[in-house]
Amino acid sequence: IQMTNIHLIPSPAAAVDQETLGLSLDGSVVLVNRHLFKLKNRVTRQVPSKVKLDTSLLNVLYASDHSEWLGTAGKGVYRISNEGNVVHYSANSQLKISANFSRGIVEGEHGDVWIATWNGLNKIGKGGVEVFGSLNGLPNRQVRSMLRDHNNCMWIGTDGVPAKYCS
């Protein structure tokens, strides 16, 4: 066996096909696998939830305004303010997004929040929710991944070709 720079971290949950990673405001790595887990010194510890949700978590964003965004498996996305106020975004709620399974959450340049789903891309900002799909510029509505680059452009990985959005 040869030593490498790769270190394995045991998963705290059985469903390893749903694990995503996030970064908390203090710079620590957070593992999302049905629940939130903080990673420190190769040890995972579950993070107590601020709100009770009856669904599995898929991803998390700790935004610059100190809010916490939780993407779920089938219940949409929840924004929890620093004061504990909860706002719910889903395909079935008053604040509509394109689908209830969040594939990724990224903060944009001006504090707007982007949510990737299998049925389009959602940009949540001061003006409300803007949904992007194949009818308004996305090459394919199946969004797999997103990345904000150093020029504050959003790169969007779809089942078609990548797309780039710069404001």
Side-chain angles (χ1 to χ4, degrees), residues 78-156:
Y78 293 85
R79 179 191 183 272
I80 305 158
S81 72
N82 200 31
E83 297 79 29
N85 300 320
V86 179
V87 178
H88 183 216
Y89 297 88
S90 79
N92 312 349
S93 67
Q94 186 175 5
L95 297 168
K96 291 207 181 307
I97 59 174
S98 58
N100 289 336
F101 286 81
S102 169
R103 289 187 169 164
I105 307 173
V106 175
E107 185 170 10
E109 175 182 13
H110 303 291
D112 45 329
V113 173
W114 295 70
I115 300 168
T117 74
W118 65 270
N119 195 27
L121 181 66
N122 307 272
K123 179 183 174 190
I124 301 172
K126 291 183 175 100
V129 180
E130 184 176 1
V131 178
F132 295 92
S134 52
L135 295 178
N136 61 351
L138 248 134
N140 187 294
R141 66 180 186 193
Q142 293 263 353
V143 179
R144 297 283 176 183
S145 61
M146 294 178 300
L147 172 75
R148 189 177 106 192
D149 70 17
H150 295 291
N151 296 318
N152 292 313
C153 294
M154 194 65 67
W155 289 82
I156 305 146

Side-chain angles (χ1 to χ4, degrees), residues 43-87:
V43 175
T44 55
R45 290 206 164 71
Q46 189 168 347
V47 177
S49 181
K50 292 181 181 179
V51 294
K52 176 87 169 127
L53 300 176
D54 61 343
T55 186
S56 296
L57 298 181
L58 297 177
N59 36 55
V60 65
L61 166 71
Y62 295 97
S64 59
D65 67 356
H66 299 279
S67 63
E68 185 177 300
W69 291 75
L70 301 173
T72 70
K75 300 277 181 152
V77 175
Y78 293 85
R79 179 191 183 272
I80 305 158
S81 72
N82 200 31
E83 297 79 29
N85 300 320
V86 179
V87 178

